[in-house]
mmCIF file of all heavy atoms in Angstrom:
data_model
loop_
_atom_site.group_PDB
_atom_site.id
_atom_site.type_symbol
_atom_site.label_atom_id
_atom_site.label_comp_id
_atom_site.label_asym_id
_atom_site.label_seq_id
_atom_site.Cartn_x
_atom_site.Cartn_y
_atom_site.Cartn_z
ATOM 1 N N PRO A 2 -2.129 168.163 -90.713
ATOM 2 C CA PRO A 2 -2.180 166.741 -90.372
ATOM 3 C C PRO A 2 -0.810 166.100 -90.689
ATOM 4 O O PRO A 2 -0.034 166.642 -91.423
ATOM 5 C CB PRO A 2 -3.264 166.150 -91.269
ATOM 6 C CG PRO A 2 -3.288 167.092 -92.425
ATOM 7 C CD PRO A 2 -2.906 168.435 -91.892
ATOM 8 N N ARG A 24 7.240 184.723 -108.294
ATOM 9 C CA ARG A 24 8.181 185.729 -107.858
ATOM 10 C C ARG A 24 9.567 185.571 -108.420
ATOM 11 O O ARG A 24 10.443 186.485 -108.247
ATOM 12 C CB ARG A 24 8.295 185.702 -106.325
ATOM 13 C CG ARG A 24 6.963 185.595 -105.590
ATOM 14 C CD ARG A 24 6.948 186.264 -104.287
ATOM 15 N NE ARG A 24 8.105 186.025 -103.443
ATOM 16 C CZ ARG A 24 8.444 186.793 -102.416
ATOM 17 N NH1 ARG A 24 7.732 187.857 -102.097
ATOM 18 N NH2 ARG A 24 9.488 186.475 -101.670
ATOM 19 N N GLY A 25 9.851 184.489 -109.080
ATOM 20 C CA GLY A 25 11.172 184.264 -109.559
ATOM 21 C C GLY A 25 11.990 183.453 -108.650
ATOM 22 O O GLY A 25 11.766 183.458 -107.426
ATOM 23 N N GLY A 39 1.582 176.287 -96.696
ATOM 24 C CA GLY A 39 0.812 176.237 -95.459
ATOM 25 C C GLY A 39 1.458 175.400 -94.380
ATOM 26 O O GLY A 39 0.726 174.728 -93.607
ATOM 27 N N THR A 69 5.965 168.077 -122.193
ATOM 28 C CA THR A 69 4.709 168.519 -122.812
ATOM 29 C C THR A 69 4.903 168.276 -124.316
ATOM 30 O O THR A 69 5.513 169.068 -125.002
ATOM 31 C CB THR A 69 4.478 169.979 -122.562
ATOM 32 O OG1 THR A 69 5.736 170.657 -122.818
ATOM 33 C CG2 THR A 69 4.086 170.256 -121.130
ATOM 34 N N VAL A 73 1.659 167.131 -132.384
ATOM 35 C CA VAL A 73 0.511 166.260 -132.280
ATOM 36 C C VAL A 73 0.915 164.868 -132.788
ATOM 37 O O VAL A 73 1.784 164.759 -133.649
ATOM 38 C CB VAL A 73 -0.649 166.785 -133.121
ATOM 39 C CG1 VAL A 73 -1.056 168.162 -132.575
ATOM 40 C CG2 VAL A 73 -0.287 166.910 -134.574
ATOM 41 N N ASP A 74 0.259 163.892 -132.318
ATOM 42 C CA ASP A 74 0.634 162.556 -132.638
ATOM 43 C C ASP A 74 0.165 162.125 -134.061
ATOM 44 O O ASP A 74 0.930 161.612 -134.829
ATOM 45 C CB ASP A 74 0.149 161.573 -131.614
ATOM 46 C CG ASP A 74 0.782 161.824 -130.270
ATOM 47 O OD1 ASP A 74 1.994 161.570 -130.174
ATOM 48 O OD2 ASP A 74 0.110 162.279 -129.357
ATOM 49 N N GLU A 75 -1.074 162.346 -134.290
ATOM 50 C CA GLU A 75 -1.537 162.030 -135.596
ATOM 51 C C GLU A 75 -2.548 163.064 -136.050
ATOM 52 O O GLU A 75 -3.259 163.698 -135.267
ATOM 53 C CB GLU A 75 -2.170 160.634 -135.692
ATOM 54 C CG GLU A 75 -2.815 160.182 -134.398
ATOM 55 C CD GLU A 75 -3.190 158.716 -134.534
ATOM 56 O OE1 GLU A 75 -3.744 158.337 -135.575
ATOM 57 O OE2 GLU A 75 -2.940 157.928 -133.599
ATOM 58 N N ARG A 86 3.079 173.288 -137.639
ATOM 59 C CA ARG A 86 2.370 174.484 -137.340
ATOM 60 C C ARG A 86 1.427 174.293 -136.161
ATOM 61 O O ARG A 86 1.460 175.060 -135.185
ATOM 62 C CB ARG A 86 1.585 174.976 -138.556
ATOM 63 C CG ARG A 86 0.911 176.334 -138.382
ATOM 64 C CD ARG A 86 -0.041 176.672 -139.523
ATOM 65 N NE ARG A 86 0.253 175.928 -140.741
ATOM 66 C CZ ARG A 86 1.128 176.340 -141.656
ATOM 67 N NH1 ARG A 86 1.768 177.472 -141.523
ATOM 68 N NH2 ARG A 86 1.361 175.611 -142.696
ATOM 69 N N MET A 106 10.512 177.726 -115.747
ATOM 70 C CA MET A 106 11.314 176.668 -116.367
ATOM 71 C C MET A 106 12.664 177.210 -116.889
ATOM 72 O O MET A 106 13.686 176.573 -116.653
ATOM 73 C CB MET A 106 10.554 176.121 -117.603
ATOM 74 C CG MET A 106 9.376 175.269 -117.262
ATOM 75 S SD MET A 106 9.843 173.589 -116.775
ATOM 76 C CE MET A 106 10.838 173.113 -118.151
ATOM 77 N N GLU A 118 27.108 169.497 -111.651
ATOM 78 C CA GLU A 118 26.310 168.338 -111.447
ATOM 79 C C GLU A 118 24.881 168.477 -112.029
ATOM 80 O O GLU A 118 24.346 167.582 -112.673
ATOM 81 C CB GLU A 118 26.175 168.071 -109.945
ATOM 82 C CG GLU A 118 27.502 167.673 -109.294
ATOM 83 C CD GLU A 118 27.269 166.988 -107.989
ATOM 84 O OE1 GLU A 118 26.175 166.336 -107.843
ATOM 85 O OE2 GLU A 118 28.151 167.077 -107.102
ATOM 86 N N ALA A 136 10.780 161.705 -132.903
ATOM 87 C CA ALA A 136 9.739 160.683 -133.057
ATOM 88 C C ALA A 136 8.469 161.272 -133.673
ATOM 89 O O ALA A 136 7.886 160.640 -134.581
ATOM 90 C CB ALA A 136 9.405 160.054 -131.687
ATOM 91 N N VAL A 147 5.237 160.988 -146.762
ATOM 92 C CA VAL A 147 6.381 161.727 -147.320
ATOM 93 C C VAL A 147 7.655 161.300 -146.597
ATOM 94 O O VAL A 147 7.600 160.576 -145.585
ATOM 95 C CB VAL A 147 6.223 163.267 -147.138
ATOM 96 C CG1 VAL A 147 4.999 163.725 -147.909
ATOM 97 C CG2 VAL A 147 6.136 163.615 -145.698
ATOM 98 N N VAL A 153 16.306 163.754 -139.927
ATOM 99 C CA VAL A 153 15.209 164.103 -139.023
ATOM 100 C C VAL A 153 15.746 164.689 -137.741
ATOM 101 O O VAL A 153 15.150 165.551 -137.107
ATOM 102 C CB VAL A 153 14.348 162.849 -138.685
ATOM 103 C CG1 VAL A 153 13.115 163.287 -137.956
ATOM 104 C CG2 VAL A 153 13.953 162.181 -139.966
ATOM 105 N N VAL A 161 13.230 172.176 -131.577
ATOM 106 C CA VAL A 161 13.433 172.412 -130.140
ATOM 107 C C VAL A 161 14.006 173.777 -129.906
ATOM 108 O O VAL A 161 13.569 174.541 -129.053
ATOM 109 C CB VAL A 161 14.313 171.309 -129.524
ATOM 110 C CG1 VAL A 161 14.693 171.663 -128.101
ATOM 111 C CG2 VAL A 161 13.591 169.982 -129.555
ATOM 112 N N ASP A 189 6.066 176.369 -142.664
ATOM 113 C CA ASP A 189 6.113 176.278 -144.139
ATOM 114 C C ASP A 189 7.465 175.869 -144.613
ATOM 115 O O ASP A 189 7.584 174.977 -145.503
ATOM 116 C CB ASP A 189 5.776 177.661 -144.726
ATOM 117 C CG ASP A 189 4.285 177.967 -144.604
ATOM 118 O OD1 ASP A 189 3.558 177.105 -144.127
ATOM 119 O OD2 ASP A 189 3.881 179.104 -145.023
ATOM 120 N N ALA A 202 5.586 152.666 -150.694
ATOM 121 C CA ALA A 202 5.699 151.908 -149.463
ATOM 122 C C ALA A 202 6.077 150.463 -149.665
ATOM 123 O O ALA A 202 5.251 149.571 -149.481
ATOM 124 C CB ALA A 202 4.407 151.971 -148.650
ATOM 125 N N THR A 211 19.337 158.490 -138.836
ATOM 126 C CA THR A 211 20.429 157.778 -138.299
ATOM 127 C C THR A 211 19.992 156.429 -137.704
ATOM 128 O O THR A 211 20.427 155.398 -138.148
ATOM 129 C CB THR A 211 21.095 158.617 -137.179
ATOM 130 O OG1 THR A 211 20.057 159.229 -136.449
ATOM 131 C CG2 THR A 211 22.064 159.632 -137.749
ATOM 132 N N ALA A 216 8.804 150.884 -136.516
ATOM 133 C CA ALA A 216 7.465 150.861 -137.112
ATOM 134 C C ALA A 216 7.092 152.250 -137.570
ATOM 135 O O ALA A 216 7.634 153.227 -137.114
ATOM 136 C CB ALA A 216 6.458 150.329 -136.069
ATOM 137 N N THR A 219 2.615 155.943 -134.703
ATOM 138 C CA THR A 219 2.487 157.383 -134.424
ATOM 139 C C THR A 219 3.073 157.748 -133.107
ATOM 140 O O THR A 219 2.506 157.500 -132.052
ATOM 141 C CB THR A 219 0.995 157.744 -134.357
ATOM 142 O OG1 THR A 219 0.416 156.889 -133.348
ATOM 143 C CG2 THR A 219 0.316 157.548 -135.661
ATOM 144 N N ALA A 221 5.840 159.153 -129.926
ATOM 145 C CA ALA A 221 6.844 158.742 -128.954
ATOM 146 C C ALA A 221 6.410 157.472 -128.246
ATOM 147 O O ALA A 221 5.273 157.426 -127.726
ATOM 148 C CB ALA A 221 7.112 159.834 -127.994
#
Side-chain angles (χ1 to χ4, degrees):
Chain A
R24 316 212 314 162
T69 46
V73 299
D74 294 293
E75 31 190 314
R86 186 188 339 272
M106 288 281 307
E118 295 200 27
V147 298
V153 189
V161 170
D189 285 358
T211 38
T219 55

